Amino acid sequence: KTLNRQLPPSPPKLPILGNLHQLGVLPHQSFRKLYQIYGPVMLFKFGRLPVVVISSAEAANEVLKVHDLDSCSRPSFTGVRKLSYNCSDLSFSPYGDYWREIRKICVLQLFSLNRVQSFQTIREEEIASLLNSISQSSSSVTPVDLSEKIYALAGSIILRIAFGQRFPGSVLDHDKFSELIHDAEALLGSLTADEMFPYVGWIIDKLTGYHTKLERVFHELDMFYEQAIGDHLKAERETNDEEDIIDVMLKIVRNKKTSEARFTEVHIKAILMDIFLAGVDTSAKTVVWAMAELARNPRAMNKAQDEVRNFFRKKGKVSEDDIDQLHYLKLIIKETLRLHPAVPLLLPRETISHFKVNGYDIYPKTIMQVNVWAIGRDPNYWKDPEEFYPERFMDNPTDFKGQNFEFLPFGSGRRSCPGINMGLKTVEVALANLLYEFNWKLPNGMKEEDINMEEAIGMSLTVSKKTALNLVPVKYL
Ligand code: HEM
């Protein structure tokens, strides 16, 4: 049988390194170039690890839908294992009963639409403080670092959603916490040399200090979570307080049904880690890219501002209750997610059983990456793919819910993003308010085409705009 096996095409490999030298700084871009030579199913070796990269909608449909069950586990790398409390979280838990249980808790109780709505006041307060801080700069001609402001907004919204109202900045050092989350993301995205190179890799890891850093970051984050959980256990809750994520999880631990028997305080910490690692950066990046695209495209910017201002003029401010009526804004968000999916290769999957894609054999324990970034810019599916043109989604049923395989910013299938409603709400509210409250001018002497749209890998799982977005806000009303 092995004689007849047909492996996917591979670019030439070097001894020991395999294909690592071909990855470049932006692997999703390197993979797209190689796709043009080797086709939509490619086999790589990262050191000793077999990695298959999928680059067409048809092949993505095969992997994520037809063979979802055969390919829905996750690889367990050293950094991931440590930071996820030995894979007790949702993102990196291997496929099985425990993952199913915890996924259900997340989808039905933690990230449900009702729960997302219950955090409306938090979003409103945090947005108000963002607008206020921008207004303070808007009397002058100095640009604001919009990237920084948007990251801070996404961070404080998620912090309050997770940790609740009782944790103002004085108790929890926000800057310290953000720095730790940033370090954790970098560790999460890197493979240790030991995983790629048997026998000798550990020497490289010792030289780079990977493990020491991992232990430190993990320990410090763990202490934050301990403190937050401890404070929740001690504090008496006012009955009319909105429940935060820790409250909900503590309730599950206390009153657990048999199906939730394995859920303990360690799992609370692991889920908190997921929420911070998966929920802040992704939403912030999407808002930054959208604002950068709009700043480059005054036509779309004006149209979006007319829409939101006409709609909310009577109220005098944006209200979350009616935000679903902003149709053009929704098209802008779709177009941004097509060109700039925050997780360009989705999270890595690990195959469980043998199956075939486009006639090629895929074996168990293979890492699968789907290049949704390349698919979203492929002229086979999109007219003028590099153009930012939100209208392409008008009267077009293509959506990002995981059924249209040419457009998968949230993934698809069993492992698709469960935080989609939470993430989208933050993105919508942030954008609507930024567009309503201010006109945005380019810094002195700069033209639309001068805006730097280069990408940078913050860590190897997500991609962001390389340089900060600096724009001059002019108060509109
Ligand atoms: C615009 C914002 C967001 C984007 C673009 C995004 C995108 C993604 C993507 C592409 C995946 C991998 C899907 C796959 O491998 O097929 C994912 C997984 C995940 N996301 Fe999101 N996400 C966003 C916001 C959030 C938020 C706000 C949360 C939680 C608060 C969250 C929690 C998760 C978790 C826990 C997983 C892993 C699910 C599993 O393995 O079962 N995400 N997300």
Side-chain angles (χ1 to χ4, degrees), residues 75-209:
S76 138
F77 301 131
T78 310
V80 165
R81 221 165 26 239
K82 182 82 199 175
L83 291 168
S84 61
Y85 293 81
N86 217 358
C87 304
S88 308
D89 71 331
L90 176 63
S91 305
F92 291 103
S93 164
Y95 179 70
D97 288 345
Y98 174 71
W99 170 83
R100 262 197 300 274
E101 213 170 89
I102 208 153
R103 174 110 186 166
K104 208 161 114 196
I105 291 176
C106 285
V107 170
L108 297 180
Q109 306 201 49
L110 301 182
F111 310 148
S112 67
L113 257 178
N114 278 345
R115 187 73 62 195
V116 172
Q117 261 154 19
S118 79
F119 300 130
Q120 180 167 345
T121 317
I122 292 181
R123 280 185 294 270
E124 281 167 358
E125 288 175 9
E126 293 302 324
I127 295 262
S129 105
L130 166 83
L131 297 176
N132 193 17
S133 99
I134 296 177
S135 292
Q136 285 169 4
S137 341
S138 77
S139 50
S140 63
V141 289
T142 33
V144 292
D145 180 342
L146 205 49
S147 302
E148 186 206 306
K149 301 258 184 228
I150 291 169
Y151 275 80
L153 170 77
S156 41
I157 290 179
I158 290 280
L159 257 175
R160 284 183 59 188
I161 284 177
F163 289 171
Q165 308 279 4
R166 281 159 289 165
F167 298 90
S170 56
V171 178
L172 200 95
D173 181 343
H174 271 215
D175 292 342
K176 173 80 185 151
F177 189 74
S178 310
E179 197 187 306
L180 282 170
I181 288 295
H182 197 81
D183 287 348
E185 282 171 341
L187 289 161
L188 200 65
S190 34
L191 292 170
T192 60
D194 189 33
E195 277 149 348
M196 292 182 281
F197 312 117
Y199 313 123
V200 293
W202 66 272
I203 304 172
I204 303 174
D205 292 331
K206 200 151 181 93
L207 291 175
T208 59

Side-chain angles (χ1 to χ4, degrees), residues 64 74 90-93 99 103 106 111 158 274-276 278-280 282-284 286 337 341-343 345-349 372 408-424 426-427:
L64 302 175
R74 297 270 193 224
L90 176 63
S91 305
F92 291 103
S93 164
W99 170 83
R103 174 110 186 166
C106 285
F111 310 148
I158 290 280
D274 265 1
I275 293 177
F276 289 112
V280 179
T282 44
S283 315
T286 308
L337 289 165
V343 197
L345 297 168
L346 303 182
L347 296 184
R349 285 177 166 227
V372 298
L408 295 174
F410 296 98
S412 177
R414 285 173 172 74
R415 285 288 187 167
S416 65
C417 179
I420 180 168
N421 294 321
M422 185 102 88
L424 281 175
T426 304
V427 171

